Every structure is written in C-alpha cells, then in structure tokens.
Amino acid sequence: MAGITSILLTGVLAAGCADAGDKAMADATDRARDAANELKHTFELRVGRAADRRSAYDTLLTYLPRYTPQRGGLLLRSGLTADQAWFDVNVVKTATASDGFGSGSRTVRLCAHIVVEIPAGRPRTSSITDLNCPSYLPKSDPQLGTIDKVVRLAT
C-alpha cells in the first residue's frame, strides 16, 4: 500500500511541476512579446517624431545594448534610409511560477523585425514581424540561463 501511495504522490507532484513549468513558459512568452512591442513603440516615438531623424537614430543606437555573447543582448542589426528605420532585435525573458506542488522557471527568446516608416509629408507608421533568430545566438543567456524555447509574436 505504501508503494502505491508513493507512486500516486510522485505522479501528482510531477503533474504539478509540469503545470508550474507551463505557467512559467506562458508568462515568459507574454513578457517577451510585451518587451518587443514596447521596443516598437519606443522606436516609433524616438525616430518617427524627431525633426532630425539621423541624430535621433544615432542617439537611440548609443543607448540600446548591442548583442554580445557575454551580455545576451538586444539589438542585432539596424538601418536607416530616407523613409524608414528598421531594427532586428533579440528579446530574452524569464519567468518563474508555482502551483502549490512545485515551481518551474522558463526562459524564452523572441526575435523581431521592427520597421518605422517615416515618409515625408505623411503620417509615420510602424510594424513588427517575427524574425527567425540567427543561428549564431547562443543557447543560453549569461544572466538568465538556458533558453528553453524560441517563441513567436503570434500565439
């Protein structure tokens, strides 16, 4: 009887950990999506509304961390033309969740391509689309640990 109870208890605990892990994965994914959309908004405000777009773009790049294997990173590549600025970004987020039986922690990566259209005489627009993460990105983040999953903007 004790063996059966032990097996049942182990099964319940394992199921609890999986639920906590699933919750952590969902939370980390939401955080990555939110961060990417916040970047889109920031880029639109900083570059799209500036009178001197080149200066605004250069200033923005000065303050954005660029990707380095030692720091995880954010900005992979970017460019500026007469009518648009574009940014390829790498967002890494983590979350921990508990469900009463156990806890789980998950880390996700999301890569996105953000474009801010700045045509002369017309309202600016911006867009964000999924970007396939470059293969050179490491499988772990120095501060957050192993990347458990690469996620997309859409569910």
Side-chain angles (χ1 to χ4, degrees), residues 41-53 56 116-118 124:
H41 183 69
T42 297
F43 296 158
E44 182 178 343
L45 288 175
R46 297 281 175 97
V47 177
R49 291 186 178 172
D52 180 358
R53 291 185 176 107
V116 179
E117 300 284 344
I118 41 180
R124 77 187 177 288

Side-chain angles (χ1 to χ4, degrees), residues 65-153:
R66 288 194 177 271
Y67 175 79
T68 62
Q70 296 77 26
R71 293 190 331 165
L74 173 66
L75 185 63
L76 299 171
R77 299 180 314 144
S78 65
L80 178 68
T81 65
D83 61 350
Q84 73 173 221
W86 61 269
F87 307 86
D88 288 348
V89 297
N90 163 44
V91 177
V92 177
K93 292 292 178 181
T94 193
T96 301
S98 177
D99 64 1
F101 292 108
S103 64
S105 181
R106 299 292 184 269
T107 301
V108 301
R109 168 176 281 135
L110 184 147
C111 294
H113 179 71
I114 300 170
V115 176
V116 179
E117 300 284 344
I118 41 180
R122 292 187 296 168
R124 77 187 177 288
T125 59
S126 62
S127 62
I128 184 170
T129 56
D130 283 311
L131 175 73
N132 289 328
C133 291
S135 60
Y136 63 80
L137 294 175
K139 304 297 183 222
S140 66
D141 179 275
Q143 297 167 343
L144 302 176
T146 301
I147 307 294
D148 296 301
K149 185 176 182 182
V150 174
V151 297
R152 311 289 281 176
L153 290 165

